[in-house]
């Protein structure tokens, strides 16, 4: 039989859609962790496609650390409305009461309190048994070995040595009450695949990815955006307007901007192809030890 | 990427256009701890410019602590991910790596070669269309080469590349390379392996990986990367008979009811007659919907493997998750409670005869039991012996009984509809992987046929005679 020559992006799309549908069929209470970045944008787009003509039958959830870029929050609310999905936002109340700030308390404590603990609180409260995440295996070493259906025990812990073998496209979704899965539909996509797909499918992404003049100040060797009045006065003193963009989006004090003149999507891709550093470099979380992500994941980080 | 940098710089949109249409090849690498497998993958990533400077810096740092190459960068550290295995100096699980050339994107399943890790190799092989098997040129074909070839072949991989590595350590000797080929065929032919491509390489020095080696002028074949770019892709897609396991019934409102799933083989068009398994009901395809962003709805006329689509039928037939939709005109699957399988055991708790398991095939789950173990296969010698249990990483020919009659294809015909996993009902771990070799005939009492009255038989004949365009099936056929 003559086989239609399916392109790599189409194959990746079909595989992701199959994963999205399998979760909806297998689980009682799934949700999609929507982190507003480019990977989440692609994941949301695929979910829309998978369940058309209906709306994806699960809510979007966001762990708001209160330190995200302002534009991310506007973009999040706008997209949820456009797509017609419920949006659940959770902020760790203890962290909020303690006024946790990455500037004052450092990235490790902030990430643990506001992201990891916040996420666990939300999962416990809503009893989600499957949560989609936009992580890719090419991002970081410990991800490369993680399953598409990644099992978490009652305490949301990942056990890298005791993962269920995942053969063919058969996913074992069996679990006892209180156990859950993190699901990674974009496991086999690379950063280039993501950008190329965004470009081809015209998927909306926050303009933070595109270069424009922005007020940034050097903090620990990173160019940090002066995004609101919480930016410490002492650090703000030497802030200046530069032509910059972001390769990843997270908490603004922990996300370094890069100098860039890429003002369009093709230019961003161009820059990515010619550049010599990987995308997680802009993130403070990975810097300590090369296995830090693996440790975080065992503690329940996404 | 170097050759492309000019185009990327000058006309990024033209470059993107060119790269929209890449193909995708999945392959697995098999080798033992010392065969240089991680080095090979590190080399492929490095030579295709998939390594960024910061990653290289981090590896350079790590090389000083964990590396085995002295002052040199240990490329293996690019791929040995988890902390635990770094400390042990080995890869302990299946990892997936990605690289791309102008023509193709590659997904590499990096699987360990230890005897105890047959299960990881089976996992990696299950989604791959090709395998690269590493042989150390100094040691030649070993027991493990046989094991790797057997397991990849068992999992349905038909494209093998035998990469004879460490040619630098045998002085790039042509004779040594020829000897290894001969050794290989001595055991490969009886296995049913029909073709394999041999390439002399050195992962450490990069000879015959991305660029032709100047040290082996006697070798006129492709480099490894060329070979990977040229392997045929259609292997997974060439089963003719349309198979579609219903994954999810899409019913967003009273006006729409469609059946979502992924086509695992063949093609389907609007108007085609389909039969639903295991119920045997028939209907026609009214609409095929390609995934699309609402409000746009993309109805298409024809869909093929490997598309994820939503099918709409002309009649309100009862179809639910797990059912198969099969084109009535195609070869139909066999329905039975009993199958012969090749069984790979994946769990430390051994398989016991009579033990009950949850079985998941395509999108359907049912319970069943391990009826008998016909023969245990020694993965090293391929000798068969009898056994009453199956240990982790062992492979056997076995008979599995399903509580419910179920449609099956042979794994050789369809890797999706001919495979299933066994799940322990208590621990819920995935404990086994099975590939159907034969569907055993069912006991006749299990599927009682409806008795047709003489009137119904006459009516059927009349309809078939006067309304052939209805494509009504003959009652005799139904009773077969």
């Amino acid at each position: 039989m003559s086989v239609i020559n399916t392109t790599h992006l189409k194959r990746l799309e079909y595989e992701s859609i199959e994963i999205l549908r399998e979760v909806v069929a297998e689980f009682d209470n799934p949700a999609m962790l929507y982190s507003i970045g480019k990977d989440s944008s692609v994941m949301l787009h695929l979910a829309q496609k998978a369940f058309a003509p209906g709306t994806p039958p699960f809510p979007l959830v966001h762990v708001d650390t209160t330190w995200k870029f302002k534009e991310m929050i506007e973009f999040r609310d706008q997209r949820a409305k456009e797509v017609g999905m419920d949006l659940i936002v959770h902020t760790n109340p203890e962290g909020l009461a303690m006024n946790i700030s990455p500037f004052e308390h450092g990235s490790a404590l902030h990430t643990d309190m506001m992201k990891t603990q916040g996420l666990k609180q939300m999962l416990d409260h809503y009893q989600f048994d499957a949560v989609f995440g936009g992580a890719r295996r090419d991002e970081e070493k410990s991800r490369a070995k993680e399953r598409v259906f990644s099992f978490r025990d009652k305490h949301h812990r990942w056990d890298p040595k005791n993962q269920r073998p995942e053969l063919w496209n058969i996913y074992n979704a069996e679990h006892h009450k209180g156990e859950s899965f993190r699901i990674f539909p974009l496991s086999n996509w690379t950063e280039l695949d993501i950008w190329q797909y965004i470009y081809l499918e015209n998927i909306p992404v926050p303009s933070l990815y595109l270069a424009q003049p922005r007020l940034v100040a050097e903090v620990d060797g990173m160019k940090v955006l002066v995004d609101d009045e919480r930016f410490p006065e002492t650090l703000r003193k030497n802030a200046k307007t530069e032509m910059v963009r972001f390769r990843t989006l997270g908490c603004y004090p922990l996300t370094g901007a890069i100098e860039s003149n890429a003002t369009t999507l093709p230019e961003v891709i161009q820059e990515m192809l010619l550049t010599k550093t990987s995308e997680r470099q802009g993130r403070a979380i990975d810097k300590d030890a090369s296995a830090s992500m693996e440790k975080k994941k065992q503690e329940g980080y996404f | 990427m170097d050759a492309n940098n000019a185009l990327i710089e000058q006309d990024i949109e033209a470059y993107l256009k060119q790269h929209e249409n890449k193909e995708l090849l999945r392959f697995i690498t098999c080798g033992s701890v010392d065969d240089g497998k991680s080095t090979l993958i590190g080399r492929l990533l490095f030579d295709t410019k998939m390594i960024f400077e910061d990653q290289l810096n981090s590896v350079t740092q790590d090389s000083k602590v964990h590396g085995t190459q002295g002052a040199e960068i240990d490329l293996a550290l690019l791929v040995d991910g988890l902390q635990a295995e770094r400390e042990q100096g080995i890869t302990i699980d299946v990892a997936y790596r990605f690289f791309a050339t102008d023509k193709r994107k590659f997904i590499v399943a990096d699987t360990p070669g230890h005897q105890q890790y047959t299960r990881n190799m089976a996992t990696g092989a299950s989604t791959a269309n090709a395998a690269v098997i590493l042989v150390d040129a100094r040691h030649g074909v070993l027991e493990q080469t046989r094991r790797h070839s057997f397991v990849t072949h068992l999992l349905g991989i038909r494209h093998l590349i035998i990469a004879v590595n460490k040619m630098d350590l045998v002085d790039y000797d042509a004779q040594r390379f020829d000897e290894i080929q001969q050794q290989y065929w001595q055991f490969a032919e009886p296995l049913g392996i029909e073709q394999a491509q041999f390439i002399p390489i050195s992962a450490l020095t990069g000879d015959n990986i991305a660029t032709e080696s100047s040290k082996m002028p006697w070798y006129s074949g492709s480099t490894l990367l060329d070979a990977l770019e040229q392997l045929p892709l259609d292997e997974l897609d060439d089963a003719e008979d349309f198979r579609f396991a219903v994954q999810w019934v899409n019913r967003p409102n009273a006006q729409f009811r469609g059946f979502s799933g992924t086509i695992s083989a063949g093609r389907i068009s609007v108007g085609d007659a389909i039969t639903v398994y295991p119920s045997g009901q028939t209907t026609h395809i009214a609409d095929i919907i390609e995934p699309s962003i609402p409000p746009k709805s993309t109805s298409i006329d024809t869909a093929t493997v490997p598309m994820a689509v939503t099918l709409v039928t002309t009649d309100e037939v009862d179809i639910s998750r797990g059912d198969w939709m099969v084109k009535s005109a195609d070869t139909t699957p066999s329905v039975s409670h009993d199958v012969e399988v090749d069984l790979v055991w994946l769990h430390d708790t051994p398989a016991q005869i009579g033990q009950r398991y949850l079985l998941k095939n395509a999108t359907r789950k049912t319970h069943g039991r391990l009826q008998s173990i016909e023969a245990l296969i020694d993965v090293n010698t391929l000798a068969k012996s009898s056994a009453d249990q199956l240990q982790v990483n062992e492979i056997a020919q076995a008979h599995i009984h399903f509580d419910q009659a179920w449609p099956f294809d042979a794994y050789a015909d369809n890797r999706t509809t001919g495979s299933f996993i066994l799940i322990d009902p208590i621990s819920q771990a995935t404990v086994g992987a099975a590939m159907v070799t034969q569907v055993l005939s069912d006991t006749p009492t299990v599927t009682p046929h409806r008795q047709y009255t003489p009137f119904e038989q006459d009516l059927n004949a009349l309809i078939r005679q006067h309304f052939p365009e209805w494509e009504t099936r003959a009652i005799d056929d139904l009773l077969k």
Side-chain angles (χ1 to χ4, degrees):
Chain A
M1 153 180 162
S2 67
V3 172
I4 293 173
N5 186 5
T6 313
T7 66
H8 73 296
L9 289 174
K10 271 289 168 195
R11 278 186 192 266
L12 291 172
E13 180 188 277
Y14 294 140
E15 180 184 73
S16 301
I17 285 173
E18 181 177 50
I19 293 161
L20 286 153
R21 287 172 173 168
E22 189 67 8
V23 168
V24 165
E26 282 272 16
F27 292 89
D28 295 329
N29 193 18
M32 179 173 280
L33 190 76
Y34 180 62
S35 69
I36 313 156
K38 61 185 192 310
D39 303 301
S40 278
S41 295
V42 167
M43 189 164 62
L44 177 59
H45 183 84
L46 291 166
Q48 284 187 279
K49 282 193 165 195
F51 302 102
T55 305
F58 44 79
L60 295 172
V61 296
H62 182 231
V63 181
D64 192 347
T65 62
T66 75
W67 289 92
K68 301 290 170 189
F69 291 92
K70 270 200 306 269
E71 191 201 321
M72 289 172 72
I73 302 304
E74 288 158 20
F75 185 87
R76 175 194 74 190
D77 296 345
Q78 167 82 16
R79 284 299 287 152
K81 208 190 290 172
E82 283 165 3
V83 175
M85 291 166 75
D86 287 338
L87 172 68
I88 296 172
V89 177
H90 176 79
T91 303
N92 181 356
E94 294 157 35
L96 211 54
M98 288 165 65
N99 232 336
I100 293 283
S101 154
F103 288 116
E104 272 178 56
H105 302 93
S107 79
L109 182 66
H110 168 77
T111 303
D112 181 59
M113 282 295 281
M114 301 313 281
K115 286 180 88 171
T116 308
Q117 301 308 326
L119 177 69
K120 287 196 214 170
Q121 288 167 353
M122 185 179 66
L123 298 180
D124 287 339
H125 182 262
Y126 291 95
Q127 296 284 299
F128 295 122
D129 50 4
V131 185
F132 294 107
R136 311 185 316 268
R137 286 172 173 155
D138 77 325
E139 262 179 89
E140 193 274 326
K141 280 179 193 166
S142 70
R143 298 267 194 223
K145 316 209 162 195
E146 190 161 7
R147 308 296 189 248
V148 174
F149 277 47
S150 189
F151 182 82
R152 294 292 187 276
D153 68 12
K154 272 188 235 147
H155 309 288
H156 309 288
R157 279 189 303 236
W158 181 55
D159 182 358
K161 281 192 194 145
N162 202 13
Q163 299 192 80
R164 293 177 181 175
E166 210 160 61
L167 289 98
W168 299 291
N169 50 354
I170 309 178
Y171 301 103
N172 177 356
E174 301 303 305
H175 60 282
H176 296 291
K177 198 170 156 49
E179 296 168 343
S180 64
F181 281 81
R182 308 284 165 87
I183 313 282
F184 301 108
L186 305 180
S187 287
N188 289 325
W189 296 60
T190 61
E191 188 184 12
L192 178 58
D193 296 331
I194 293 286
W195 280 122
Q196 207 152 21
Y197 190 71
I198 288 172
Y199 175 63
L200 264 179
E201 298 268 317
N202 212 2
I203 300 171
V205 289
S207 69
L208 291 160
Y209 285 117
L210 303 178
Q212 65 180 58
R214 293 184 170 98
L215 186 64
V216 291
E218 291 271 338
V219 182
D220 297 333
M222 281 195 311
K223 289 182 194 300
V224 175
L225 184 75
V226 181
D227 200 39
D228 58 35
E229 68 294 338
R230 292 176 296 179
F231 202 102
E233 205 58 54
T234 46
L235 296 168
R236 203 190 304 191
K237 268 186 288 192
N238 48 10
K240 51 179 190 274
T241 301
E242 288 181 55
M243 195 69 175
V244 293
R245 65 179 188 88
F246 297 88
R247 289 186 71 185
T248 59
L249 302 182
C251 295
Y252 84 80
L254 300 174
T255 310
I258 54 165
E259 283 172 50
S260 168
N261 290 311
T263 57
T264 65
L265 212 51
E267 283 168 7
V268 168
I269 302 174
Q270 180 177 43
E271 207 174 79
M272 192 206 100
L273 289 170
L274 298 173
T275 195
K276 297 278 181 272
T277 53
S278 69
E279 65 184 316
R280 292 202 78 89
Q281 210 206 19
R283 292 203 187 172
I285 178 172
D286 286 348
K287 281 198 173 157
D288 17 11
S290 64
S292 72
M293 179 63 89
E294 186 189 338
K295 281 186 202 140
K296 289 215 158 48
K297 285 166 65 68
Q298 289 181 34
E299 288 155 13
Y301 184 77
F302 218 84
Chain B
M1 240 188 286
D2 274 348
N4 273 307
N5 277 8
L7 184 60
I8 295 170
E9 274 170 38
Q10 284 153 22
D11 191 350
I12 181 67
E13 302 203 16
Y15 173 88
L16 288 174
K17 197 83 212 148
Q18 215 178 68
H19 284 251
E20 271 167 29
N21 296 316
K22 268 185 214 183
E23 299 164 332
L24 177 65
L25 180 85
R26 295 174 193 244
F27 70 93
I28 101 164
T29 52
C30 315
S32 290
V33 187
D34 302 322
D35 289 342
K37 185 169 48 67
S38 293
T39 307
L40 174 68
I41 297 170
R43 169 61 66 184
L44 284 168
L45 300 182
F46 186 75
D47 284 359
T48 52
K49 308 282 186 287
M50 302 309 285
I51 309 299
F52 292 108
E53 236 163 48
D54 57 329
Q55 291 172 322
L56 205 59
N57 288 340
S58 142
V59 166
T60 312
Q61 288 274 322
D62 289 354
S63 294
K64 289 171 192 155
V65 185
H66 303 287
T68 56
Q69 298 304 320
E72 296 285 303
I73 292 176
D74 188 351
L75 288 175
L77 292 180
L78 283 169
V79 296
D80 287 344
L82 298 180
Q83 217 178 7
E85 68 201 54
R86 276 216 215 159
E87 278 153 17
Q88 291 169 33
I90 50 160
T91 311
I92 55 168
D93 202 312
V94 188
Y96 294 89
R97 300 284 155 196
F98 308 85
F99 66 95
T101 61
D102 289 350
K103 205 176 149 203
R104 283 189 178 168
K105 166 183 167 126
F106 296 94
I107 301 179
V108 190
D110 180 9
T111 60
H114 269 215
Q115 170 131 30
Q116 70 216 78
Y117 294 126
T118 294
R119 66 169 206 166
N120 294 334
M121 197 159 50
T123 303
S126 71
T127 52
N129 8 22
V132 174
I133 296 175
L134 277 159
V135 175
D136 187 323
R138 294 169 301 173
H139 306 138
V141 170
L142 299 175
E143 207 171 72
Q144 71 216 19
T145 317
R146 199 180 305 216
R147 183 162 75 231
H148 299 154
S149 303
F150 174 65
V151 175
T152 50
H153 188 72
L154 190 78
L155 268 290
I157 293 178
R158 294 293 168 263
H159 299 294
L160 296 185
I161 293 176
I162 314 298
V164 181
N165 193 23
K166 306 199 182 181
M167 287 302 290
D168 51 319
L169 299 181
V170 296
D171 299 325
Y172 302 100
D173 181 21
Q175 208 185 327
R176 181 68 189 138
F177 180 68
D178 288 341
E179 271 168 29
I180 289 172
Q181 290 195 52
Q182 282 162 21
Q183 282 174 4
Y184 186 83
W185 284 119
Q186 275 172 17
F187 78 84
E189 259 168 322
L191 274 183
I193 293 172
E194 283 158 16
Q195 41 178 305
Q197 197 173 345
F198 289 78
I199 306 176
I201 62 164
S202 167
L204 193 67
T205 58
D207 283 279
N208 282 337
I209 306 291
T211 49
E212 278 177 38
S213 169
S214 58
K215 305 192 184 84
M216 291 177 272
W218 46 267
Y219 174 75
S220 56
S222 323
T223 61
L224 180 60
L225 209 52
D226 279 345
L228 288 168
E229 276 196 325
Q230 278 151 22
L231 283 180
L233 286 175
D234 53 359
E235 203 65 20
L236 287 177
D237 297 348
D238 64 358
E240 304 236 354
D241 299 314
F242 175 75
R243 293 291 187 269
F244 181 86
V246 176
Q247 203 182 4
W248 185 67
V249 181
N250 189 353
R251 208 176 316 176
N253 54 53
Q255 282 77 51
F256 185 88
R257 181 166 172 264
F259 305 100
S260 297
T262 301
I263 299 173
S264 69
R267 73 169 60 215
I268 192 78
S269 299
V270 171
D272 282 346
I274 58 139
T275 307
V276 180
Y277 281 83
S279 73
Q281 289 174 296
T282 56
T283 181
H284 289 80
I285 297 296
D287 197 1
I288 303 170
I289 297 170
E290 246 255 285
S292 58
I293 299 291
K296 197 175 98 179
S297 161
T298 332
S299 287
I300 51 175
D301 293 332
T302 297
T304 68
V305 62
M307 294 169 70
V309 292
T310 300
L311 302 179
V312 180
T313 55
T314 50
D315 312 284
E316 276 268 329
V317 285
D318 181 20
I319 302 174
S320 40
R321 169 169 164 87
D323 289 349
W324 292 13
M325 291 165 86
V326 170
K327 198 149 81 180
S328 306
D330 284 348
T331 309
T332 55
S334 311
V335 178
S336 176
H337 286 78
D338 296 275
V339 285
E340 279 288 322
V341 297
D342 288 326
L343 180 61
V344 182
W345 204 248
L346 309 169
H347 202 266
D348 290 334
T349 310
Q352 303 281 359
I353 292 171
Q355 183 75 43
R356 291 183 59 74
Y357 298 101
L358 180 63
L359 310 165
K360 187 172 182 185
N361 157 285
T363 58
R364 182 165 162 161
K365 285 181 291 191
T366 191
H367 285 86
R369 66 173 180 267
L370 177 59
Q371 188 75 19
S372 62
I373 297 173
E374 309 299 316
L376 184 69
I377 303 166
D378 184 316
V379 291
N380 298 317
T381 63
L382 307 182
K384 291 181 183 177
S385 59
S386 63
D388 50 15
Q389 60 174 29
L390 195 57
Q391 307 287 344
V392 66
N393 294 305
E394 286 185 337
I395 295 173
Q397 291 168 340
H399 171 175
I400 291 178
H401 175 83
F402 285 69
D403 288 356
Q404 289 167 303
W406 186 305
F408 291 99
D409 287 312
Y411 186 71
D413 295 330
N414 188 316
R415 286 170 89 174
T416 301
T417 53
S419 62
F420 59 93
I421 59 169
L422 293 85
I423 298 168
D424 184 293
I426 309 297
S427 74
Q428 302 183 329
T430 303
V431 292
M435 292 148 280
V436 176
T437 49
Q438 200 191 344
V439 183
L440 301 170
S441 56
D442 221 341
T443 37
T445 50
V446 182
T447 45
H449 285 300
R450 175 178 165 183
Q451 299 296 309
Y452 290 95
T453 64
F455 167 74
E456 285 168 336
Q457 290 175 23
D458 288 348
L459 181 65
N460 176 262
L462 204 64
I463 289 170
R464 285 171 47 78
Q465 185 182 351
H466 293 283
F467 302 96
E469 72 277 14
W470 291 9
E471 295 179 324
T472 303
R473 292 166 71 198
I475 280 179
D476 287 348
D477 281 353
L478 288 174
L479 295 177
K480 266 180 200 165

